[in-house]
Amino acid sequence: MKDPTPLLDCFRRGEAARDVRMLAAEGALAPRAYEQAAILVLLLEDADPEIRRAADETLCRIPVERLGRFLAQSHVPVELRDRFAARGIVPLDAIDPAVDLSVDLDGPLIDTAESAPESRSADDDPRRSLVHGISQMSFTDRLKAAIKGTREMRAVLIRDTNKTVAAAVLSCPKLTESEIEAFARMANVGEDVLRVIGGNRAWTRHYGVVVGLTRNPKTPVAVALNLMPRLNARDLLTLSVDRNVPEAVRKGARKKLTTGVARG
C-alpha cells in the first residue's frame, strides 16, 4: 500500500481534537479516498458515541458502487477491505470481474463541506492580506482551507502552529511536487512537517526535495543524515561548509565526501 498519510497518522496517534474528529466523521474533512476511508473506519471505534454515529452515517451515505470501485484498488489494505466486508460491501471486481474499476483516488469518497473559506482583508498587499485573513480564521476554517484552499493558502497554513492543520496541508489532494519542494526549503515550518516530508518515499524520490531538506537548518539531524547519500558531490561540498546547518550535518557531508574520494 502507499505510505501512511500525515492526516491519517494524526488520527491514529490520537492527536486529533474532538472538533476535528467530528468534522471528519461528518465527511466535511475530505482528503484523498484512502485516507478518508481509513479515518472514517477508525472513527467507528471513537470513544465519543456522537462521533461513532456520525462516522457510521457518513459511510452509509457513500454510494456502494463508489466504495466497491475504491475497495478493488490494489493499494487498499486487506484489513480495510475486511472492515467494509463486515458492512456487506465488497470490491466491485468480486461481483463482476469485467466491470470498470476507474475511480478518482485523489478525490474524497464523500465531501459534505462547503467551499473553502475565504480570507478577507482590506490590506492592499495581497500577500499580507492573505496572511492577515488567515490569522482571523477559526481553527475549523483553517483546517478546511488546508484541504480545500488555494496554493497560496497552503503556503501560509503549512507554518500553522497547530500540527493538525499542517498535517492537513500535507494531505491536500491538490498538493504538488513543487509545493513539497518549497516546504522542504522553509526554515519557518515545524520540525514535524520536515520529518513527515523526509519520511515519505514518494516525495523524497525528487532530488529537489532531498536538497531542500538537507540544507534546511530546521530539518531533524537524523532525517538529513539519512538523505545525505542521495546528494551529488557538488551539493555535498556545499553542505560540508554551510554554517546554517547543524555541525553534525556538515561533518556527515565531509565524511561522505572523503569516503567517496577514497572509493574513487
Side-chain angles (χ1 to χ4, degrees):
M1 60 166 285
K2 294 179 179 179
D3 288 337
T5 48
L7 193 59
L8 174 56
D9 283 347
C10 185
F11 277 78
R12 283 174 170 164
R13 291 193 299 264
E15 295 175 355
R18 185 186 186 280
D19 53 348
V20 178
R21 303 199 316 276
M22 182 57 80
L23 276 176
E26 293 173 342
L29 191 59
R32 291 179 174 87
Y34 166 69
E35 191 166 22
Q36 185 179 47
I39 289 173
L40 284 170
V41 166
L42 189 66
L43 293 176
L44 289 174
E45 299 177 352
D46 196 273
D48 189 315
E50 290 185 33
I51 290 176
R52 294 199 302 270
R53 183 166 55 251
D56 183 68
E57 291 174 353
T58 298
L59 283 169
C60 288
R61 293 172 61 187
I62 302 174
V64 173
E65 183 178 345
R66 181 166 176 75
L67 277 173
R69 292 176 189 273
F70 163 71
L71 292 172
Q73 305 304 311
S74 60
H75 74 279
V76 176
V78 173
E79 57 268 26
L80 189 57
R81 288 198 183 102
D82 289 344
R83 291 300 301 270
F84 279 99
R87 299 174 66 90
I89 303 170
V90 297
L92 209 55
D93 58 350
I95 301 172
D96 182 0
V99 73
D100 177 15
L101 297 177
S102 59
V103 64
D104 178 16
L105 296 176
D106 284 334
L109 292 169
I110 187 171
D111 186 358
T112 64
E114 299 175 354
S115 57
E118 297 181 5
S119 58
R120 293 189 176 91
S121 175
D123 201 310
D124 291 333
D125 183 335
R127 171 68 181 177
R128 191 163 59 183
S129 176
L130 177 66
V131 173
H132 176 75
I134 288 176
S135 71
Q136 302 304 305
M137 285 183 181
S138 66
F139 168 71
T140 299
D141 279 345
R142 298 201 318 277
L143 194 61
K144 290 179 180 178
I147 292 289
K148 304 187 72 172
T150 64
R151 181 189 183 105
E152 291 75 22
M153 283 182 169
R154 292 193 292 276
V156 175
L157 290 166
I158 192 65
R159 296 174 292 169
D160 200 286
T161 54
N162 188 289
K163 293 180 181 180
T164 308
V165 173
V169 170
L170 294 176
S171 294
C172 174
K174 296 184 289 184
L175 194 64
T176 65
E177 175 192 326
S178 62
E179 286 179 88
I180 290 296
E181 187 172 334
F183 297 162
R185 295 195 303 266
M186 288 183 179
N188 55 354
V189 297
E191 286 189 8
D192 285 338
V193 169
L194 300 173
R195 187 177 288 107
V196 168
I197 294 174
N200 187 293
R201 288 170 292 181
W203 291 336
T204 54
R205 279 201 295 265
H206 303 288
Y207 190 71
V209 173
V210 173
V211 173
L213 287 172
T214 52
R215 289 183 180 177
N216 193 327
K218 287 285 291 293
T219 299
V221 171
V223 173
L225 292 177
N226 184 56
L227 294 172
M228 201 170 290
R230 304 270 305 279
L231 295 177
N232 60 37
R234 183 183 63 184
D235 287 321
L236 277 172
L237 181 60
T238 299
L239 194 61
S240 70
V241 294
D242 188 345
R243 291 290 177 181
N244 291 318
V245 300
E247 174 62 19
V249 174
R250 291 199 301 275
K251 285 184 177 179
R254 289 196 293 269
K255 181 178 180 181
K256 188 68 181 172
L257 279 170
T258 302
T259 303
V261 170
R263 287 177 180 171

